[in-house]
Amino acid sequence: MIEVKSLNKKYTETEVLKNINYTFLEGKVYFVVGPSGCGKTTLLNILGGIDLDYDGLVLYDFEDIKEYTKKEKQSFYTDKVSYISQFPVLFQDMLVQNNLDLINYVNKKTTKKIGSFLKSIKLNKEVKKLSVGEKQRVCINRVINQNASVILADEPTASLDKEYKKEVMDELINACKNKILIVVTHDLDLAKDYADEILEIKKGRIKSTKIKKQENTKSKENFNKNISLFNARKFASWLYKSEKKKINLYNYSLVIGIVLIAFTN
């Protein structure tokens, strides 16, 4: 859990964030939206411990991040928080695989999950030979492997083609089921599709909107199509018996057809 209390941030005399009070909960996906320069990335940097020059409190599990010891800070940056920047941050002369393995070296883990959105990229290829979108997908995969409890993402899909945008977001959402995911974006459609809550920053203040996610019709269709003929026949048989055998074979076949249509539509 992240608690933000009475958060204020200034650049010289300009107030960017004003008296922000908000609680981020595990298992939730938050999208932060608003016009350029409103303080979206500033908020993300504060939550990630990158910017500590602010007034107020940022508490991770009731602990003030400004009060962390050196050891606690190290644990915070390796285990608690991972960050996806708007522009890919990779070692250009190293191979893709080496860049992915770095997080295992830092965290002393052996996770080597390769997301479906990375399958088209050769792992033995030098990073400098990749496109910007490919580099960003490598960065996102590395963050997923870090397995931190909080993922902060600043315009993570801005450099991605449409075909990969959904694939990457699906993978991120799946990896964050019991985590906190906070995404800064200008893409309102993306926010509406994936957010549990949309936080709009306007004149330094936050307005929260909870999103009622629609039922996934595709999953429903797939489920219905997987209903077996055997189950439909069992159901039809039950209807047959309940009518005390008053219906003939033709009606029995008709019931099977009706049940199949019901389950597959």
Side-chain angles (χ1 to χ4, degrees), residues 221-240:
E221 288 171 5
N222 290 338
F223 173 78
N224 288 341
K225 288 178 182 178
N226 287 332
I227 298 295
S228 67
L229 175 62
F230 174 74
N231 287 336
R233 289 179 63 185
K234 280 175 65 178
F235 185 60
S237 181
W238 173 81
L239 288 176
Y240 176 83

PDB file of all heavy atoms in Angstrom, residues 221-240:
ATOM      1  N   GLU A 221     -17.461 -15.820 -24.940  1.00  0.00           N
ATOM      2  CA  GLU A 221     -17.684 -16.583 -26.160  1.00  0.00           C
ATOM      3  C   GLU A 221     -16.850 -17.854 -26.177  1.00  0.00           C
ATOM      4  O   GLU A 221     -17.338 -18.929 -26.531  1.00  0.00           O
ATOM      5  CB  GLU A 221     -17.330 -15.720 -27.370  1.00  0.00           C
ATOM      6  CG  GLU A 221     -18.332 -14.625 -27.630  1.00  0.00           C
ATOM      7  CD  GLU A 221     -17.838 -13.660 -28.697  1.00  0.00           C
ATOM      8  OE1 GLU A 221     -16.766 -13.922 -29.278  1.00  0.00           O
ATOM      9  OE2 GLU A 221     -18.530 -12.656 -28.927  1.00  0.00           O
ATOM     10  N   ASN A 222     -15.575 -17.724 -25.759  1.00  0.00           N
ATOM     11  CA  ASN A 222     -14.697 -18.895 -25.734  1.00  0.00           C
ATOM     12  C   ASN A 222     -15.201 -19.935 -24.753  1.00  0.00           C
ATOM     13  O   ASN A 222     -15.143 -21.133 -25.006  1.00  0.00           O
ATOM     14  CB  ASN A 222     -13.271 -18.480 -25.357  1.00  0.00           C
ATOM     15  CG  ASN A 222     -12.611 -17.694 -26.469  1.00  0.00           C
ATOM     16  OD1 ASN A 222     -13.006 -17.796 -27.617  1.00  0.00           O
ATOM     17  ND2 ASN A 222     -11.611 -16.901 -26.124  1.00  0.00           N
ATOM     18  N   PHE A 223     -15.709 -19.454 -23.614  1.00  0.00           N
ATOM     19  CA  PHE A 223     -16.239 -20.372 -22.603  1.00  0.00           C
ATOM     20  C   PHE A 223     -17.446 -21.116 -23.152  1.00  0.00           C
ATOM     21  O   PHE A 223     -17.576 -22.334 -23.017  1.00  0.00           O
ATOM     22  CB  PHE A 223     -16.622 -19.595 -21.343  1.00  0.00           C
ATOM     23  CG  PHE A 223     -17.329 -20.439 -20.317  1.00  0.00           C
ATOM     24  CD1 PHE A 223     -16.621 -21.314 -19.496  1.00  0.00           C
ATOM     25  CD2 PHE A 223     -18.703 -20.376 -20.172  1.00  0.00           C
ATOM     26  CE1 PHE A 223     -17.268 -22.093 -18.556  1.00  0.00           C
ATOM     27  CE2 PHE A 223     -19.358 -21.140 -19.225  1.00  0.00           C
ATOM     28  CZ  PHE A 223     -18.640 -22.002 -18.418  1.00  0.00           C
ATOM     29  N   ASN A 224     -18.331 -20.354 -23.787  1.00  0.00           N
ATOM     30  CA  ASN A 224     -19.541 -20.973 -24.315  1.00  0.00           C
ATOM     31  C   ASN A 224     -19.240 -22.001 -25.388  1.00  0.00           C
ATOM     32  O   ASN A 224     -19.881 -23.041 -25.473  1.00  0.00           O
ATOM     33  CB  ASN A 224     -20.456 -19.885 -24.893  1.00  0.00           C
ATOM     34  CG  ASN A 224     -21.094 -19.048 -23.804  1.00  0.00           C
ATOM     35  OD1 ASN A 224     -21.151 -19.477 -22.653  1.00  0.00           O
ATOM     36  ND2 ASN A 224     -21.546 -17.850 -24.141  1.00  0.00           N
ATOM     37  N   LYS A 225     -18.244 -21.704 -26.225  1.00  0.00           N
ATOM     38  CA  LYS A 225     -17.886 -22.626 -27.291  1.00  0.00           C
ATOM     39  C   LYS A 225     -17.280 -23.910 -26.760  1.00  0.00           C
ATOM     40  O   LYS A 225     -17.262 -24.934 -27.433  1.00  0.00           O
ATOM     41  CB  LYS A 225     -16.913 -21.946 -28.264  1.00  0.00           C
ATOM     42  CG  LYS A 225     -17.599 -20.894 -29.126  1.00  0.00           C
ATOM     43  CD  LYS A 225     -16.614 -20.203 -30.043  1.00  0.00           C
ATOM     44  CE  LYS A 225     -17.310 -19.134 -30.863  1.00  0.00           C
ATOM     45  NZ  LYS A 225     -16.364 -18.402 -31.731  1.00  0.00           N
ATOM     46  N   ASN A 226     -16.756 -23.825 -25.538  1.00  0.00           N
ATOM     47  CA  ASN A 226     -16.130 -25.009 -24.949  1.00  0.00           C
ATOM     48  C   ASN A 226     -17.130 -25.921 -24.238  1.00  0.00           C
ATOM     49  O   ASN A 226     -16.769 -26.956 -23.704  1.00  0.00           O
ATOM     50  CB  ASN A 226     -15.044 -24.589 -23.949  1.00  0.00           C
ATOM     51  CG  ASN A 226     -13.818 -24.061 -24.661  1.00  0.00           C
ATOM     52  OD1 ASN A 226     -13.545 -24.459 -25.784  1.00  0.00           O
ATOM     53  ND2 ASN A 226     -13.081 -23.169 -24.021  1.00  0.00           N
ATOM     54  N   ILE A 227     -18.396 -25.482 -24.167  1.00  0.00           N
ATOM     55  CA  ILE A 227     -19.419 -26.350 -23.592  1.00  0.00           C
ATOM     56  C   ILE A 227     -19.580 -27.557 -24.496  1.00  0.00           C
ATOM     57  O   ILE A 227     -19.875 -27.435 -25.681  1.00  0.00           O
ATOM     58  CB  ILE A 227     -20.774 -25.606 -23.464  1.00  0.00           C
ATOM     59  CG1 ILE A 227     -20.632 -24.408 -22.529  1.00  0.00           C
ATOM     60  CG2 ILE A 227     -21.854 -26.548 -22.993  1.00  0.00           C
ATOM     61  CD1 ILE A 227     -20.328 -24.791 -21.106  1.00  0.00           C
ATOM     62  N   SER A 228     -19.413 -28.720 -23.958  1.00  0.00           N
ATOM     63  CA  SER A 228     -19.397 -29.932 -24.787  1.00  0.00           C
ATOM     64  C   SER A 228     -20.796 -30.399 -25.168  1.00  0.00           C
ATOM     65  O   SER A 228     -21.787 -30.092 -24.510  1.00  0.00           O
ATOM     66  CB  SER A 228     -18.684 -31.062 -24.042  1.00  0.00           C
ATOM     67  OG  SER A 228     -19.446 -31.445 -22.919  1.00  0.00           O
ATOM     68  N   LEU A 229     -20.843 -31.146 -26.259  1.00  0.00           N
ATOM     69  CA  LEU A 229     -22.092 -31.761 -26.685  1.00  0.00           C
ATOM     70  C   LEU A 229     -22.605 -32.716 -25.616  1.00  0.00           C
ATOM     71  O   LEU A 229     -23.796 -32.827 -25.384  1.00  0.00           O
ATOM     72  CB  LEU A 229     -21.865 -32.511 -28.010  1.00  0.00           C
ATOM     73  CG  LEU A 229     -23.051 -33.317 -28.550  1.00  0.00           C
ATOM     74  CD1 LEU A 229     -24.210 -32.376 -28.853  1.00  0.00           C
ATOM     75  CD2 LEU A 229     -22.646 -34.087 -29.804  1.00  0.00           C
ATOM     76  N   PHE A 230     -21.652 -33.334 -24.911  1.00  0.00           N
ATOM     77  CA  PHE A 230     -22.032 -34.273 -23.856  1.00  0.00           C
ATOM     78  C   PHE A 230     -22.861 -33.570 -22.788  1.00  0.00           C
ATOM     79  O   PHE A 230     -23.908 -34.072 -22.359  1.00  0.00           O
ATOM     80  CB  PHE A 230     -20.769 -34.873 -23.232  1.00  0.00           C
ATOM     81  CG  PHE A 230     -21.044 -35.757 -22.042  1.00  0.00           C
ATOM     82  CD1 PHE A 230     -21.587 -37.027 -22.192  1.00  0.00           C
ATOM     83  CD2 PHE A 230     -20.760 -35.308 -20.761  1.00  0.00           C
ATOM     84  CE1 PHE A 230     -21.854 -37.828 -21.096  1.00  0.00           C
ATOM     85  CE2 PHE A 230     -21.017 -36.101 -19.658  1.00  0.00           C
ATOM     86  CZ  PHE A 230     -21.554 -37.362 -19.820  1.00  0.00           C
ATOM     87  N   ASN A 231     -22.422 -32.374 -22.366  1.00  0.00           N
ATOM     88  CA  ASN A 231     -23.150 -31.629 -21.342  1.00  0.00           C
ATOM     89  C   ASN A 231     -24.506 -31.180 -21.853  1.00  0.00           C
ATOM     90  O   ASN A 231     -25.497 -31.190 -21.119  1.00  0.00           O
ATOM     91  CB  ASN A 231     -22.333 -30.414 -20.900  1.00  0.00           C
ATOM     92  CG  ASN A 231     -21.150 -30.806 -20.053  1.00  0.00           C
ATOM     93  OD1 ASN A 231     -21.163 -31.863 -19.429  1.00  0.00           O
ATOM     94  ND2 ASN A 231     -20.115 -29.970 -20.034  1.00  0.00           N
ATOM     95  N   ALA A 232     -24.560 -30.789 -23.119  1.00  0.00           N
ATOM     96  CA  ALA A 232     -25.834 -30.375 -23.701  1.00  0.00           C
ATOM     97  C   ALA A 232     -26.808 -31.552 -23.731  1.00  0.00           C
ATOM     98  O   ALA A 232     -27.990 -31.408 -23.424  1.00  0.00           O
ATOM     99  CB  ALA A 232     -25.605 -29.838 -25.111  1.00  0.00           C
ATOM    100  N   ARG A 233     -26.294 -32.725 -24.089  1.00  0.00           N
ATOM    101  CA  ARG A 233     -27.147 -33.919 -24.140  1.00  0.00           C
ATOM    102  C   ARG A 233     -27.637 -34.290 -22.751  1.00  0.00           C
ATOM    103  O   ARG A 233     -28.782 -34.713 -22.574  1.00  0.00           O
ATOM    104  CB  ARG A 233     -26.384 -35.081 -24.761  1.00  0.00           C
ATOM    105  CG  ARG A 233     -26.149 -34.914 -26.266  1.00  0.00           C
ATOM    106  CD  ARG A 233     -25.361 -36.074 -26.835  1.00  0.00           C
ATOM    107  NE  ARG A 233     -26.099 -37.325 -26.709  1.00  0.00           N
ATOM    108  CZ  ARG A 233     -25.595 -38.516 -27.037  1.00  0.00           C
ATOM    109  NH1 ARG A 233     -24.356 -38.602 -27.504  1.00  0.00           N
ATOM    110  NH2 ARG A 233     -26.314 -39.598 -26.896  1.00  0.00           N
ATOM    111  N   LYS A 234     -26.747 -34.135 -21.749  1.00  0.00           N
ATOM    112  CA  LYS A 234     -27.156 -34.433 -20.375  1.00  0.00           C
ATOM    113  C   LYS A 234     -28.302 -33.525 -19.946  1.00  0.00           C
ATOM    114  O   LYS A 234     -29.270 -33.949 -19.311  1.00  0.00           O
ATOM    115  CB  LYS A 234     -25.963 -34.261 -19.419  1.00  0.00           C
ATOM    116  CG  LYS A 234     -24.995 -35.439 -19.411  1.00  0.00           C
ATOM    117  CD  LYS A 234     -23.792 -35.159 -18.537  1.00  0.00           C
ATOM    118  CE  LYS A 234     -24.197 -35.009 -17.104  1.00  0.00           C
ATOM    119  NZ  LYS A 234     -23.023 -34.789 -16.231  1.00  0.00           N
ATOM    120  N   PHE A 235     -28.171 -32.240 -20.325  1.00  0.00           N
ATOM    121  CA  PHE A 235     -29.198 -31.275 -19.946  1.00  0.00           C
ATOM    122  C   PHE A 235     -30.516 -31.589 -20.658  1.00  0.00           C
ATOM    123  O   PHE A 235     -31.605 -31.543 -20.063  1.00  0.00           O
ATOM    124  CB  PHE A 235     -28.726 -29.865 -20.301  1.00  0.00           C
ATOM    125  CG  PHE A 235     -29.660 -28.782 -19.858  1.00  0.00           C
ATOM    126  CD1 PHE A 235     -29.969 -28.604 -18.520  1.00  0.00           C
ATOM    127  CD2 PHE A 235     -30.245 -27.937 -20.788  1.00  0.00           C
ATOM    128  CE1 PHE A 235     -30.822 -27.620 -18.108  1.00  0.00           C
ATOM    129  CE2 PHE A 235     -31.114 -26.940 -20.386  1.00  0.00           C
ATOM    130  CZ  PHE A 235     -31.415 -26.774 -19.052  1.00  0.00           C
ATOM    131  N   ALA A 236     -30.400 -31.931 -21.933  1.00  0.00           N
ATOM    132  CA  ALA A 236     -31.599 -32.282 -22.696  1.00  0.00           C
ATOM    133  C   ALA A 236     -32.248 -33.533 -22.125  1.00  0.00           C
ATOM    134  O   ALA A 236     -33.477 -33.645 -22.070  1.00  0.00           O
ATOM    135  CB  ALA A 236     -31.217 -32.497 -24.164  1.00  0.00           C
ATOM    136  N   SER A 237     -31.417 -34.482 -21.691  1.00  0.00           N
ATOM    137  CA  SER A 237     -31.926 -35.722 -21.106  1.00  0.00           C
ATOM    138  C   SER A 237     -32.704 -35.441 -19.826  1.00  0.00           C
ATOM    139  O   SER A 237     -33.747 -36.024 -19.561  1.00  0.00           O
ATOM    140  CB  SER A 237     -30.754 -36.667 -20.826  1.00  0.00           C
ATOM    141  OG  SER A 237     -31.221 -37.870 -20.276  1.00  0.00           O
ATOM    142  N   TRP A 238     -32.167 -34.485 -19.045  1.00  0.00           N
ATOM    143  CA  TRP A 238     -32.857 -34.113 -17.798  1.00  0.00           C
ATOM    144  C   TRP A 238     -34.228 -33.519 -18.122  1.00  0.00           C
ATOM    145  O   TRP A 238     -35.225 -33.809 -17.453  1.00  0.00           O
ATOM    146  CB  TRP A 238     -32.003 -33.108 -17.039  1.00  0.00           C
ATOM    147  CG  TRP A 238     -32.713 -32.541 -15.835  1.00  0.00           C
ATOM    148  CD1 TRP A 238     -32.851 -33.108 -14.608  1.00  0.00           C
ATOM    149  CD2 TRP A 238     -33.413 -31.290 -15.776  1.00  0.00           C
ATOM    150  NE1 TRP A 238     -33.582 -32.298 -13.781  1.00  0.00           N
ATOM    151  CE2 TRP A 238     -33.941 -31.170 -14.477  1.00  0.00           C
ATOM    152  CE3 TRP A 238     -33.627 -30.270 -16.696  1.00  0.00           C
ATOM    153  CZ2 TRP A 238     -34.670 -30.060 -14.078  1.00  0.00           C
ATOM    154  CZ3 TRP A 238     -34.366 -29.168 -16.306  1.00  0.00           C
ATOM    155  CH2 TRP A 238     -34.878 -29.068 -15.007  1.00  0.00           C
ATOM    156  N   LEU A 239     -34.281 -32.644 -19.159  1.00  0.00           N
ATOM    157  CA  LEU A 239     -35.562 -32.067 -19.555  1.00  0.00           C
ATOM    158  C   LEU A 239     -36.527 -33.154 -20.017  1.00  0.00           C
ATOM    159  O   LEU A 239     -37.713 -33.128 -19.698  1.00  0.00           O
ATOM    160  CB  LEU A 239     -35.352 -31.066 -20.700  1.00  0.00           C
ATOM    161  CG  LEU A 239     -34.685 -29.734 -20.338  1.00  0.00           C
ATOM    162  CD1 LEU A 239     -34.470 -28.913 -21.604  1.00  0.00           C
ATOM    163  CD2 LEU A 239     -35.528 -28.955 -19.336  1.00  0.00           C
ATOM    164  N   TYR A 240     -35.979 -34.140 -20.733  1.00  0.00           N
ATOM    165  CA  TYR A 240     -36.791 -35.245 -21.243  1.00  0.00           C
ATOM    166  C   TYR A 240     -37.431 -36.000 -20.091  1.00  0.00           C
ATOM    167  O   TYR A 240     -38.637 -36.268 -20.078  1.00  0.00           O
ATOM    168  CB  TYR A 240     -35.898 -36.162 -22.082  1.00  0.00           C
ATOM    169  CG  TYR A 240     -36.600 -37.402 -22.601  1.00  0.00           C
ATOM    170  CD1 TYR A 240     -37.361 -37.359 -23.766  1.00  0.00           C
ATOM    171  CD2 TYR A 240     -36.480 -38.618 -21.922  1.00  0.00           C
ATOM    172  CE1 TYR A 240     -37.980 -38.483 -24.243  1.00  0.00           C
ATOM    173  CE2 TYR A 240     -37.110 -39.746 -22.411  1.00  0.00           C
ATOM    174  CZ  TYR A 240     -37.865 -39.681 -23.568  1.00  0.00           C
ATOM    175  OH  TYR A 240     -38.468 -40.805 -24.044  1.00  0.00           O
TER     176      TYR A 240
END
